[in-house]
Amino acid sequence: MHKINKAFKVYLNQLILIAALLIFNSNQVLSQDVAAGEKLFKNNCAQCHKVTDQKLVGPGLKGVADRVPKPAEAWLIKWIKNSQSLVKAGDAYAVKIFEEYNKSVMPSQAVTDDEIKSILAYIANPPADPKAAATATATPDGATTKTDSSTVLYFLLGLILLFLILISVLNGVKNSLQRLVNNKEGIPEPVQVSYDTAYFKNWARTNKKIVALGLIVIVSYGAKAAWNGMMGIGIYEGYAPEQPINFSHKIHAGQNAINCVYCHSGVEKSKISNVPSANVCMNCHKAIQEGPVAGKKEIAKIYAALDYDPAKDTYGPNPKPIKWIKVHQLPEHAYFNHAQHVTVGKQECTTCHGPIAEMDTVRQFTPLTMGWCIDCHRKTEVKMEGNPYYN
Ligand code: HEC
Ligand code: HEC
Ligand code: HEC
Ligand code: HEC
Ligand code: HEC
């Protein structure tokens, strides 16, 4: 009977180890695919598609794998890489949606097969709350990147529950086996234990390994989710929103070589690098009333904001601020100070913001993730000890 007990324990321990590894790995792959897919989707597809059934430029992609010709994945890879080749080849479904969307061509997407698979994983596991998804595309808010983690967590908890049930069933089997052996050897039946809290405490005490493993799985999962959440902050590389006035850094900082600090006057002395107020624009645009590209149209918006009449050179009573859309955005918990980096640390604007003087529209050039901050701090040997920021 000792043998049975021992063999059973070894067997159970192995089972638990395997299951724990399986749970941990599969769920890692799942959440990574979905997270990667989300980023790819936002960068490549979100301007034309939603992951709900709502139309944008193209159809809503909810459940798309169910309606396209089978095998769905192969068809979708072909379509996304070159939709027109399918249309031209006379694929009935391709021709049908192409015509349904007034023959607007979906441009070929520069994504690899694996990237498409991640995108499809994201489409199949969209963010739980459609409202949150809508704001996620509208604002560069890092907090919305971990939308899929809650579903994964439920999945994990479900598996753990299943697992506990399995253990108690196996335990039952073991007990009856033991009773059989005991009967045969003439040992009296042990007192029946009931399944109350004392039983579980007892079980936990005699199965320390299982409990420890379970705890490790749960804790490491939590730590990983937190780590991902932190490392993934503000991952909107390439984000370039349309601004209320078509302001070009290329014309101002590039062709006319206006110094960055002339407009972003706070950058050398304060935490925040301010965007200039409309009054600063007027230093020049009182005189310059026409631009080389847009003529009077865009500059007139500065006048409208200040309620200024260029013909009479008078200001009206109703000025309103220009609502510039913030391009670079760190989450609340990150502390970043421009003056410390530009004045003390002697870092160039272009190191972090890229060739702004060549951009007509500002776009986020670097990833702005915590990993990116730390990479440079390692190279430039920033003292990390004693700085509460890194804790
Ligand atoms: C510039 C707009 C645009 C972009 C960007 C775009 N699409 Fe499309 N997509 C369309 C249009 C329009 C259609 C409708 C078919 C047509 O007119 O060719 C379509 C159709 C589709 C379909 C077929 C939908 C159905 O209901 O059968 C899929 C799948 C799809 N797109 C996936 C993607 C993915 C994935 C990306 C990003 C990697 C992407 N698209 C990027 C415009 C776009
Ligand atoms: C130091 C001078 C200066 C300041 C300050 C300035 N600009 Fe300009 N801006 C220029 C010059 C020079 C041009 C180009 C005129 C030309 O080439 O004909 C220009 C052109 C423009 C144009 C026309 C671009 C086109 O496509 O035709 C817009 C719009 C504009 N500026 C917006 C602004 C805004 C908004 C501000 C304030 C945030 C501002 N400017 C501040 C000097 C300035
Ligand atoms: C004539 C004024 C002017 C000059 C000169 C200028 N900027 Fe700007 N900058 C603006 C305005 C206005 C905005 C907000 C609109 C936009 O994002 O295009 C802005 C936005 C930005 C942003 C994005 C801010 C955000 O929302 O995250 C960065 C980064 C930036 N500027 C860097 C620079 C650098 C670097 C230079 C010098 C190479 C420079 N700027 C020169 C007026 C100026
Ligand atoms: C070490 C990297 C780094 C350098 C160097 C740097 N920036 Fe930034 N910049 C950032 C980050 C990160 C943000 C986002 C800050 C936030 O959201 O709190 C930002 C945001 C901005 C903004 C938007 C307003 C704000 O403060 O949030 C402007 C404008 C800007 N930078 C201009 C400049 C200019 C001009 C220079 C050079 C004189 C410069 N930056 C140098 C990293 C840098
Ligand atoms: C290109 C290099 C570079 C990048 C990227 C960079 N830093 Fe720094 N950082 C520096 C240097 C150099 C210093 C040292 C300045 C000094 O001597 O105090 C510094 C110092 C700091 C400090 C300590 C000084 C203070 O302000 O209290 C903090 C905090 C900091 N950085 C936060 C960040 C964050 C957050 C990011 C990412 C959003 C970031 N840094 C990205 C180069 C960089």
Side-chain angles (χ1 to χ4, degrees), residues 247-327:
F247 175 85
S248 164
H249 277 81
K250 191 172 166 188
I251 291 177
H252 291 86
Q255 286 156 17
N256 288 289
I258 305 168
N259 195 318
C260 312
V261 183
Y262 181 96
C263 290
H264 301 291
S265 51
V267 74
E268 289 178 336
K269 29 187 204 293
S270 80
K271 175 178 179 297
I272 291 172
S273 168
N274 61 304
V275 167
S277 71
N279 293 320
V280 176
C281 313
M282 289 303 277
N283 292 346
C284 301
H285 285 290
K286 220 173 192 174
I288 305 169
Q289 305 196 345
E290 259 184 78
V293 183
K296 293 193 167 175
K297 182 167 154 267
E298 295 296 319
I299 294 173
K301 290 182 189 166
I302 308 175
Y303 302 153
L306 288 165
D307 201 4
Y308 172 77
D309 181 345
K312 295 196 200 116
D313 188 16
T314 52
Y315 289 90
N318 293 313
K320 44 191 181 309
I322 302 170
K323 290 194 175 123
W324 300 112
I325 296 168
K326 206 162 176 342
V327 184

Side-chain angles (χ1 to χ4, degrees), residues 117-335:
K117 283 176 196 164
S118 300
I119 293 173
L120 296 177
Y122 169 65
I123 293 172
N125 296 280
D129 178 5
K131 262 197 209 129
T135 48
T137 42
T139 63
D141 185 348
T144 48
T145 51
K146 40 182 190 272
T147 32
D148 61 302
S149 61
S150 63
T151 34
V152 178
L153 190 65
Y154 285 131
F155 175 73
L156 184 81
L157 286 176
L159 272 181
I160 288 177
L161 198 73
L162 224 125
F163 203 47
L164 284 175
I165 294 170
L166 187 75
I167 288 173
S168 67
V169 168
L170 281 175
N171 230 349
V173 172
K174 186 195 84 166
N175 282 344
S176 30
L177 268 175
Q178 205 164 25
R179 228 173 296 134
L180 264 175
V181 176
N182 286 356
N183 273 347
K184 225 177 164 186
E185 294 177 359
I187 300 168
E189 287 232 348
V191 190
Q192 195 64 45
V193 259
S194 63
Y195 283 75
D196 54 15
T197 47
Y199 169 81
F200 274 110
K201 267 191 203 151
N202 214 11
W203 178 86
R205 213 172 296 132
T206 47
N207 295 280
K208 286 203 185 89
K209 267 193 208 154
I210 299 176
V211 173
L213 247 163
L215 278 177
I216 288 171
V217 170
I218 293 171
V219 169
S220 49
Y221 176 81
K224 189 164 183 303
W227 177 254
N228 278 351
M230 258 171 45
M231 294 310 265
I233 51 170
I235 43 164
Y236 285 87
E237 211 174 326
Y239 181 63
E242 202 176 303
Q243 299 288 352
I245 299 179
N246 204 345
F247 175 85
S248 164
H249 277 81
K250 191 172 166 188
I251 291 177
H252 291 86
Q255 286 156 17
N256 288 289
I258 305 168
N259 195 318
C260 312
V261 183
Y262 181 96
C263 290
H264 301 291
S265 51
V267 74
E268 289 178 336
K269 29 187 204 293
S270 80
K271 175 178 179 297
I272 291 172
S273 168
N274 61 304
V275 167
S277 71
N279 293 320
V280 176
C281 313
M282 289 303 277
N283 292 346
C284 301
H285 285 290
K286 220 173 192 174
I288 305 169
Q289 305 196 345
E290 259 184 78
V293 183
K296 293 193 167 175
K297 182 167 154 267
E298 295 296 319
I299 294 173
K301 290 182 189 166
I302 308 175
Y303 302 153
L306 288 165
D307 201 4
Y308 172 77
D309 181 345
K312 295 196 200 116
D313 188 16
T314 52
Y315 289 90
N318 293 313
K320 44 191 181 309
I322 302 170
K323 290 194 175 123
W324 300 112
I325 296 168
K326 206 162 176 342
V327 184
H328 301 77
Q329 190 119 335
L330 290 176
E332 305 273 325
H333 68 259
Y335 173 80

Side-chain angles (χ1 to χ4, degrees), residues 330 335-337 340-341 344-345 347 351-352 372-373 376-377 380 382 387 389-390:
L330 290 176
Y335 173 80
F336 179 83
N337 186 325
Q340 196 74 26
H341 284 88
V344 183
Q347 297 296 313
T351 310
C352 302
W372 172 78
C373 310
C376 178
H377 289 176
T380 47
V382 174
N387 187 333
Y389 168 75
Y390 296 102

Side-chain angles (χ1 to χ4, degrees), residues 21-167:
L21 285 175
L22 266 178
I23 292 171
F24 199 49
N25 278 341
S26 66
N27 125 61
Q28 236 176 338
V29 169
L30 179 66
S31 65
Q32 261 168 14
D33 273 4
V34 172
E38 177 173 13
K39 193 179 162 199
L40 287 162
F41 185 87
K42 285 193 176 134
N43 287 340
N44 296 297
C45 326
Q47 72 266 40
C48 298
H49 292 288
K50 287 186 169 231
V51 286
T52 59
D53 6 78
Q54 226 177 319
K55 279 184 195 173
L56 215 56
V57 179
L61 294 184
K62 188 176 168 192
V64 68
D66 303 330
R67 60 178 180 259
V68 301
K70 307 287 172 295
E73 192 176 89
W75 189 91
L76 283 165
I77 287 175
K78 263 194 220 151
W79 170 270
I80 292 165
K81 284 183 149 176
N82 190 347
S83 69
Q84 281 300 300
S85 74
L86 277 173
V87 172
K88 290 201 182 106
D91 180 286
Y93 182 84
V95 172
K96 191 189 111 216
I97 41 169
F98 182 53
E99 278 173 358
E100 212 175 298
Y101 280 79
N102 299 321
K103 305 199 169 173
S104 55
V105 175
M106 168 168 147
S108 297
Q109 299 293 310
V111 281
T112 64
D113 290 11
D114 282 342
E115 285 172 337
I116 292 175
K117 283 176 196 164
S118 300
I119 293 173
L120 296 177
Y122 169 65
I123 293 172
N125 296 280
D129 178 5
K131 262 197 209 129
T135 48
T137 42
T139 63
D141 185 348
T144 48
T145 51
K146 40 182 190 272
T147 32
D148 61 302
S149 61
S150 63
T151 34
V152 178
L153 190 65
Y154 285 131
F155 175 73
L156 184 81
L157 286 176
L159 272 181
I160 288 177
L161 198 73
L162 224 125
F163 203 47
L164 284 175
I165 294 170
L166 187 75
I167 288 173

